[in-house]
């Protein structure tokens, strides 16, 4: 309902939505820290540690590249199973907001949202589960949790695949920092595309298959 009606404060609504998500995730993180590691270091609990320098640009580039096949796949799923109320897209809501609020939306979606999500999923949850479970199970579990918290069921499979990539990057690097940079690159592609436009793209506009294959490669 919050995102379903366009009005003068819709930009603030979207920013507040990310803010509410951030607060809920941080509260969950705090509860997990108090229960499972009350005397431990929070940096260790969320795997906020250094890794090889190449993992940082790699995480960002992987995010940019993976946005192409993931969004192409989502377009195919949405076209195959449309909903009755699919008329209002994120792009429509973005351009319905005043220009100043669009910057706040861009920061919230491209930076704040990915940061708090990765603090919880590839930080606390991943670090906690891997202490007692094989890596493969941890990858699947955290990816499922990550997909389920997104409300549209049609996005479950693409987001699950993204979660697997994030988890594998987290496993290889040993740090939650590269997985933070990956969704920043992922979401940043969409935000940059909107910022360079004067109006929302037509729903008839679809991503060429070649772009998706290039990103997948």
């Amino acid at each position: 309902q919050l995102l379903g009606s366009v009005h003068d404060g819709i930009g603030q609504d979207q920013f507040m939505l990310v803010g509410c998500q951030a607060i809920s995730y941080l509260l969950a993180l705090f509860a997990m820290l108090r229960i499972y590691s009350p005397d431990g270091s929070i940096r260790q609990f969320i795997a906020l540690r250094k890794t090889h320098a190449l993992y940082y640009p790699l995480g960002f580039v992987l995010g940019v590249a993976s946005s192409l096949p993931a969004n192409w796949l989502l377009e195919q799923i949405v076209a195959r199973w449309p909903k009755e109320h699919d008329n209002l897209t994120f792009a429509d809501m973005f351009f319905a907001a005043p220009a100043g609020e669009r910057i706040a939306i861009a920061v919230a979606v491209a930076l704040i949202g990915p940061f708090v999500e990765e603090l919880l999923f590839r930080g606390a949850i991943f670090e906690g589960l891997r202490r007692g479970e094989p890596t493969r199970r941890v990858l699947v579990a955290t990816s499922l949790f990550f997909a389920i918290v997104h409300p549209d069921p049609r996005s479950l499979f693409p987001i699950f695949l993204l979660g697997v990539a994030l988890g594998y990057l987290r496993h290889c690097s040993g740090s939650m920092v590269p997985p933070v940079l990956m969704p920043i690159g992922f979401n940043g592609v969409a935000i940059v595309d909107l910022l360079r436009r004067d109006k929302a793209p037509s729903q008839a506009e679809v991503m060429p298959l070649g772009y998706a294959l290039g990103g997948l490669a």
Side-chain angles (χ1 to χ4, degrees), residues 103-125:
I103 302 300
I105 296 171
V107 171
V109 172
L111 298 177
I112 299 175
F115 179 70
V116 296
E117 281 188 339
E118 295 312 302
L119 274 178
L120 184 62
F121 290 102
R122 255 61 58 178
I125 296 177

Side-chain angles (χ1 to χ4, degrees), residues 86-149:
D86 268 344
N87 294 330
L88 191 64
T89 66
F90 172 77
D92 295 324
M93 294 184 285
F94 182 84
F95 284 100
E101 292 182 7
R102 294 177 194 171
I103 302 300
I105 296 171
V107 171
V109 172
L111 298 177
I112 299 175
F115 179 70
V116 296
E117 281 188 339
E118 295 312 302
L119 274 178
L120 184 62
F121 290 102
R122 255 61 58 178
I125 296 177
F126 194 100
E127 184 73 8
L129 288 178
R130 79 178 187 89
R131 295 176 183 177
E133 297 291 339
T135 300
R136 187 174 300 175
R137 291 184 183 178
V138 177
L139 282 172
V140 172
T142 53
S143 301
L144 282 174
F145 296 155
F146 183 58
I148 289 170
V149 300

